[in-house]
Amino acid sequence: MLRFGTSGIPLSTPRPGTEAGIRRARELGLDCLEMGWVNGVRMGEAAADRIAGAARADDIALTAHGPYYVNLCGSEEIVRRSRDRLVHTARMAQRCGAGSFCFHAGFYQTLTPGEADRRVREGLSGVADALHREGLRVDVRPELTGKPTQVGSLDEILGWSESVPGVRPCVDFAHQYARSGGAFNSYREFGETLERIGGRLGRPALDRLHIHMGGIEYGPRGERRHVPLRASQFRYRELLRALRDCRVSGWVVCESPAMEEDALLLQRTYRRMR
Ligand SMILES: [Zn+2]
C-alpha cells in the first residue's frame, strides 16, 4: 500500500498543532503526514504521546522531516551537534509513533565527493550506534537532495543505506529531477531508479519506501523552489505509473505549496491506475 499525505499539517487545518493536522488529514481522506521539524524539534514527551494516540485513532501514518541544521561533513564540532540533533529527532519521532524520519546530510563545501561520502558514512554510523543503544528502531533516512552542492545523490544515499544498519533512503523524485537539470523525468528513468534501489538494497527497500514528490522549479544550480504540480514540468503521472508497476509500498509525501490539493491529486491519480 502507498500512503499519500502532506509535508506539514494541511493548510486547511482549522487550528495550529499536529493533532489538529492529523484530524484534518483524516477528514480529507489522506493516509499519512510528515511532521515538519525543519527548524528544530520543539515538542515535549507528553505532546509526542498525544500525537501518537491521535495518529493511531485516525490511522494516519507519521513520518518526520529532521532539522535543516545538520551537516555531517562539517567540522568536528558541527558533526557532533548534527549527530545529537539526529538522535533527538529519532527519539521524538519514535515517541510520536513515526516509522521514518528524513534529513539532508550536509554540504560538500571544499571537500571532494569521496571525502564527503566518508564523513557522512562515519556520522551516520555514530547515529546508528546511539539509536541501537537506546533501542530506537525508527528508520534513519538521508534524503536525495535537490542541489548538486548538497551531499545526497541517489548513489550516495544508496551507498550509506548499504553500509550502515538502520539507514534507508528517502527518495525525493522532484529533487532528483531538479538536481539533474531535468534529466530524470520519464517513466523509463523513474523505473530505472526504482530498479536500482531494489537491485542494491533488495526488495524490502521497495516494500517500505519513503518518497517525496511535488512540483518544482530548477535552474543551473538545481532546486529553486517548490511549486504546485500543475505549474511544474515534473511528470508525476509517469512516476505514479512506475510506482504502481513496481508495486512499491510506503509513504508518499507531497511537498507542494498547494499541499492537500496536490496530495489528493496524487492519491486520486494513483488509485485510478490499474
Ligand atoms: Zn527535505
Side-chain angles (χ1 to χ4, degrees):
M1 176 191 182
L2 266 187
R3 288 176 174 260
F4 292 84
T6 53
S7 157
I9 68 171
L11 293 174
S12 56
T13 307
R15 54 181 188 283
T18 307
E19 285 175 80
I22 289 168
R23 171 54 42 84
R24 184 62 189 145
R26 175 44 58 221
E27 285 168 3
L28 289 164
L30 295 169
D31 322 290
C32 70
L33 181 95
E34 184 148 294
M35 299 177 284
W37 295 346
V38 297
N39 295 315
V41 188
R42 294 167 179 162
M43 151 185 330
E45 293 187 341
D49 292 343
R50 283 197 302 274
I51 289 168
R56 262 196 312 275
D58 278 327
D59 186 26
I60 295 292
L62 296 177
T63 57
H65 195 307
Y68 284 146
Y69 307 106
V70 162
N71 185 5
L72 294 175
C73 307
S75 68
E76 224 172 280
E77 177 57 18
I78 287 175
V79 170
R80 193 186 58 74
R81 268 189 267 153
S82 299
R83 270 203 320 254
D84 289 350
R85 282 198 184 105
L86 291 173
V87 172
H88 185 59
T89 304
R91 228 177 256 140
M92 296 312 287
Q94 177 151 330
R95 186 119 193 170
C96 290
S100 176
F101 77 95
C102 60
F103 58 96
H104 307 174
F107 300 89
Y108 295 107
Q109 291 161 305
T110 58
L111 302 177
T112 63
E115 177 60 14
D117 180 75
R118 195 192 61 75
R119 289 200 199 182
V120 172
R121 216 171 277 243
E122 204 177 282
L124 288 174
S125 299
V127 172
D129 288 346
L131 264 56
H132 184 71
R133 278 195 301 275
E134 293 190 30
L136 298 170
R137 289 179 314 276
V138 59
D139 300 352
V140 177
R141 304 249 186 186
E143 183 176 326
L144 205 170
T145 49
K147 294 182 183 174
T149 49
Q150 290 173 300
V151 193
S153 66
L154 179 65
D155 274 328
E156 284 166 340
I157 64 173
L158 294 181
W160 306 328
S161 304
E162 280 172 331
S163 61
V164 185
V167 171
R168 299 165 187 234
C170 173
V171 182
D172 189 319
F173 285 94
H175 279 169
Q176 187 185 35
Y177 161 70
R179 187 186 174 97
S180 66
F184 283 80
N185 199 26
S186 77
Y187 178 80
R188 210 186 81 196
E189 285 110 27
F190 299 138
E192 281 169 2
T193 296
L194 295 172
E195 263 171 40
R196 199 128 125 240
I197 296 166
R200 286 182 66 173
L201 305 179
R203 180 67 218 180
L206 298 176
D207 291 336
R208 182 185 170 91
L209 194 56
H210 190 157
I211 297 164
H212 284 177
M213 67 170 93
I216 200 162
E217 278 178 2
Y218 65 89
R221 281 177 298 175
E223 170 182 15
R224 255 199 201 126
R225 61 192 185 107
H226 290 282
V227 296
L229 283 169
R230 292 185 209 271
S232 167
Q233 305 297 312
F234 181 67
R235 296 187 192 151
Y236 64 91
R237 280 189 197 81
E238 294 185 37
L239 172 53
L240 292 171
R241 170 51 67 196
L243 293 171
R244 172 68 94 184
D245 290 349
C246 292
R247 303 182 322 281
V248 172
S249 291
W251 310 270
V252 175
V253 176
C254 178
E255 289 198 306
S256 162
M259 287 194 176
E260 53 262 53
E261 196 183 308
D262 276 0
L264 287 165
L265 171 66
L266 292 173
Q267 186 192 53
R268 211 167 42 238
T269 309
Y270 178 80
R271 285 184 178 170
R272 281 186 191 144
M273 285 176 176
R274 284 289 165 261

